[in-house]
Structures are given as structure tokens and as C-alpha cells.
Amino acid sequence: MDIDNNTSNSCYSNQNVTFFYQQVNKTIRGNWTTRDHLVIGLGLPLSLIVVLANLLVMAAIHMNRRFHFPIYYLLGNMAAADLFAGLAYTNLIFNTGPWTAKLTKKQWYIRGALIDISLTASVANLLAVAVERHQTIITMQLHSTMTKRRVVLLIISIWAVGIIMGLVPSLFWNCECDLADCSTVAPLYSRRFLIFWALLNLLTFFIMLGMYSHIFFHVKRQSRHTSQHASEARQQTVINLMKTISMVLGAFVICWTPGLIVLLLDGLQGKESNANKYEKYCLAIAECNSLVNPIIYSLRDAEMRKTFKWILCCFCRREGCQPRETLSTEIDSPLKETQVQTEFPPQM
């Protein structure tokens, strides 16, 4: 169904989802394809792992009082955002392929909004963690200066930004009144919105890159000046920090670059980009970032690993599991503190 240029500026709010797919030559197949089965077969297990992994992180932070610091509150919120991403991707899987034609426009916008909210919140959390690490490491503070109130306000702001970004396309920044601006990846979305969203994420990446680079050179300079007096544990902390920074930046680039490139190509070239051939694979790769985050930020923390083992032990054994109160007392004991932990808050 083609609409000539003379009426391209008219609004088509009463049209269904299939109409907009036809405008960008995106076919909603009546039968399941091999790609559809592959997306579902790989996507559902991935989503389940993402949900369970991030639930484990949130439970560990809640149950271990030594994680009750601003940085870990932010990590817990990032785990919540990544968990939400797993649920949003699961919802997408059950509303894709031939099922897309049965969606109303409201349902279609909700499907996209859930993805936008979860991924935006996840990226915003990465930025918040970078800011907190930069403040703590550069100023050599014992703990972050952020109060619980400021942490709560920051978390609320993160979700507010995510919700706003998720609602923008359905409220006003769509192509219902400008068919020439329709995206091939998300046919009801404006291509200009996708360009804006992709550039915003790239800007976030470069801000993170600048912060972590500053931390890297600062720690390297401080380590060189104090190497003769620093303990072996302190040197190991510096090495672990550098490894974590490299892994964070590497994971972000690997998981997000394909999707951002596809969005930019779709926004700039439209139908000529053939972006819809790769969108689902790029989304799955971006979703992997929600699984990589708890691995990077949590599994590299020895205390987090210990808490993970305790939680899993409670699920695996009905008897002989250490009570929660005993665990908290043991973890809080000053006899467990090392020299590095006395100088700094728990480092990732």
C-alpha cells in the first residue's frame, strides 16, 4: 500500500501496525521462519539467564551489609534495570514474527517502550557508576560523599530518564504524520528519533571513556609515585581496577556498537540501509550487555562471590545452611578487613 508524496504529510493515526510496515516494505510473515525460530530459541534462554543472574546480584547486595555503600546501591539498581531488560526482551519475543500483525498500535508502542526504558536505564546506570568511581578514586576518599538521599534521587532520575525515552515515540516523536520519516527497524518510530537515541548513547560512551581514561592515568601516576611504599595488596587493587575498566569499556563497545550502527544507518538511509535484516541479532547482542554487567561488576568482587555461594547453598541444601544473621555478623567483623579495605571502600 503506497501513499503518494502529496499526502505524505497527512496523519494516519487510524491505521493499524501492518499499514506502517507496508510503507517501509517490511514484511510481517504469516509463517515462522528459521530466523524467527533462532531468535526465540536463543532469546528465551538468554532472557532467563539475565533475569536469574541479576536477581542473584540484587539479593547479594540486600543480604550483605558490607555492600550497603552508594556504589553497590547503584550496582543493585543497574541489576534491576538489566533484569527489566530481560523481561522486556521476553515480552518482545512473544510478540514478534507472525504475532506482530495481531498487535494494536498501543501494544506495539508498549513493546518498544519496554525495550527503550530498560536499555536506557541500563546505560544510564553504567554512566552513574562511572561518575561514582571517578569521584571516589580521584579524590582518594574512604567512601563516596553521596548520601543515601542523593543515591535515591539519582536512581529515581535514572528511571525517569528511561521512562521518558520510552514514552517519547508513542507521545509525539513518531512517523504517523510523516510516512517518509518512518524507520525500517521500528516502522512507527521516526528515523530522526532513532538517530537522536543512537547519538545519545554514543555520547554516553565517550563520556564514560573520558572518565575511565582519567581514572586510568591518575591511578597509574599515583601508583608510580608511591610504588616504593605501597603494599602488595594495594598494587593488586590497582591491577584489578585496570582490568575491570578494560572489561567495562570492551563489553560496552562489543554489545552496543552493532545496534548503534544499524540505528544510525536506518536513520540516515532509510529503506536503502537494509537495517531490518540485522535488527534482531543486534538487539540480542545488546541484551547480552545486561548479562555481562553482573559478571564484570560482581563476579570480580571476592566478597560478592562469597555471598553468591551462600545464597546458592541455601537453595541447594535444606539443612546446614548458615543463617542470614550469622552471615552478616561474619562479614561485618573487623577481623575480615584487609589493609586495602581499610584504605578504600570495597573496590570492583
Side-chain angles (χ1 to χ4, degrees), residues 11 18 27 30 55 57 86 91 136 149-150 160 165 168 180 187 200 213 224 243 246 291 296 308 322 324-325 335:
C11 288
T18 304
T27 303
L55 273 176
V57 173
N91 177 74
T136 303
R149 180 180 179 182
R150 291 180 62 185
M165 291 299 296
V168 163
L200 182 63
S213 297
R224 184 168 57 248
K243 289 181 179 180
S246 300
L291 176 61
I296 295 178
F308 283 171
Q322 186 181 15
R324 174 182 169 182
E325 291 78 6
L335 297 178

Side-chain angles (χ1 to χ4, degrees), residues 4 36 58 91 101 110 114 119 134 155 162 166 176 191 196 212 217 220 223 227 242 254 262 264 267 270 275 299 302:
D4 55 44
D36 293 329
M58 295 170 64
N91 177 74
I110 291 176
L114 293 177
L119 296 184
H134 184 271
I155 290 174
E176 291 186 20
R191 289 193 288 123
F196 166 78
Y212 281 128
F217 290 112
K220 185 177 181 180
S223 178
S227 59
M242 295 303 101
I254 293 173
V262 167
L264 285 175
L299 295 185

Side-chain angles (χ1 to χ4, degrees), residues 283-320:
L283 180 60
I285 295 174
E287 179 69 14
C288 289
N289 199 102
S290 296
L291 176 61
V292 172
N293 286 339
I295 295 175
I296 295 178
Y297 286 102
S298 302
L299 295 185
R300 287 184 56 81
D301 189 310
E303 197 63 54
M304 187 72 76
R305 290 196 297 271
K306 182 191 300 183
T307 310
F308 283 171
K309 292 178 181 179
W310 179 83
I311 295 174
L312 295 176
C313 173
C314 290
F315 280 103
C316 295
R317 296 187 300 178
R318 294 184 178 180
E319 298 179 357

Side-chain angles (χ1 to χ4, degrees), residues 63-65 310 314 321-333:
M63 299 177 70
N64 190 332
R65 287 201 296 265
W310 179 83
C314 290
C321 188
Q322 186 181 15
R324 174 182 169 182
E325 291 78 6
T326 307
L327 173 71
S328 300
T329 302
E330 178 183 336
I331 290 177
D332 286 339
S333 172

